[in-house]
């Protein structure tokens, strides 16, 4: 892995690579968010699943997986963890008893509201050196890169 480095001592050829810079910022972001969410007994996939349920309402595990990009096999564990914490309920789909429908509980809604505030704070920390307009431009550029590479 990596350890603390003196960016000024890093060769110019490396400092000039946007892909390297993006990777380093992504590593910092992952660490920041994992530690921040871990401090409140949550994970990024918990937030993703709860946010998707807030937007879509009750959905099947497969649909929740599709909406969040979490692999179906991993979604089972995410739903189990959220269910153990009382944030979601799993019930047979009345239209197809072979499927489960996942719905958010009142506890899950309260937890998601707390996570929203935490995520906002973590975003502010991550993007601290950027002005409001720079944050919007940075987000738009990242979204454009992601859209381009997601089509492949």
């Amino acid at each position: 892995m990596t350890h603390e480095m003196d960016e000024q001592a890093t060769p110019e050829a490396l400092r000039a690579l946007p892909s390297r810079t993006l990777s380093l910022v992504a590593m910092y972001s992952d660490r920041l968010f994992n530690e921040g969410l871990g401090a409140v007994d949550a994970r990024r996939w918990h937030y993703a699943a709860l946010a998707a349920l807030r937007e879509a309402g009750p959905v099947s595990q497969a649909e929740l997986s599709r909406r969040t990009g979490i692999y179906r096999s991993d979604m089972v564990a995410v739903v189990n963890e959220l269910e153990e914490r009382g944030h979601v309920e799993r019930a047979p789909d009345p239209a197809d008893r072979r499927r489960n429908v996942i719905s958010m509980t009142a506890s899950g809604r309260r937890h998601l509201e707390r996570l929203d505030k935490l995520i906002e704070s973590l975003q502010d920390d991550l993007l601290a050196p950027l002005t409001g307009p720079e944050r919007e431009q940075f987000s738009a550029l990242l979204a454009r890169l992601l859209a381009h590479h997601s089509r492949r």
Side-chain angles (χ1 to χ4, degrees), residues 100-115:
N100 283 320
V101 171
I102 311 304
S103 57
M104 191 169 13
T105 64
S107 170
R109 284 186 288 280
R110 288 189 303 274
H111 184 61
L112 181 56
E113 288 173 11
R114 289 189 298 273
L115 292 180

Side-chain angles (χ1 to χ4, degrees), residues 3 7 22 35 46-48 55 63 76 79 86 89 107 119 122:
H3 62 334
E7 191 62 22
L22 187 60
E35 289 172 2
H46 293 172
Y47 182 74
E55 187 174 296
E63 178 64 15
V76 173
V79 170
E89 293 177 337
S107 170
I119 294 287
L122 294 170

Side-chain angles (χ1 to χ4, degrees), residues 18-136:
S19 58
R20 177 182 177 271
T21 304
L22 187 60
S23 292
L24 292 172
V25 171
M27 286 179 359
Y28 174 77
S29 175
D30 283 346
R31 186 173 59 246
L32 177 69
F33 279 77
N34 288 336
E35 289 172 2
L37 289 167
V40 296
D41 193 32
R43 297 187 306 132
R44 68 179 57 231
W45 297 130
H46 293 172
Y47 182 74
L50 292 172
L53 288 169
R54 173 175 53 200
E55 187 174 296
V59 294
S60 69
Q61 281 184 200
E63 178 64 15
L64 194 55
S65 176
R66 188 185 67 73
R67 287 177 173 270
T68 60
I70 300 170
Y71 290 115
R72 285 183 183 199
S73 57
D74 294 333
M75 182 57 73
V76 173
V78 171
V79 170
N80 286 345
E81 290 169 3
L82 290 170
E83 189 175 40
E84 287 167 7
R85 290 165 171 82
H87 300 319
V88 300
E89 293 177 337
R90 186 182 341 217
D93 183 343
D96 183 350
R97 293 270 179 205
R98 296 170 296 175
R99 293 189 328 180
N100 283 320
V101 171
I102 311 304
S103 57
M104 191 169 13
T105 64
S107 170
R109 284 186 288 280
R110 288 189 303 274
H111 184 61
L112 181 56
E113 288 173 11
R114 289 189 298 273
L115 292 180
D116 282 336
K117 290 178 180 132
L118 174 61
I119 294 287
E120 183 178 341
S121 172
L122 294 170
Q123 292 286 344
D124 284 342
D125 186 6
L126 178 66
L127 302 174
L130 303 179
T131 65
E134 287 172 331
R135 289 176 183 204
E136 290 176 20

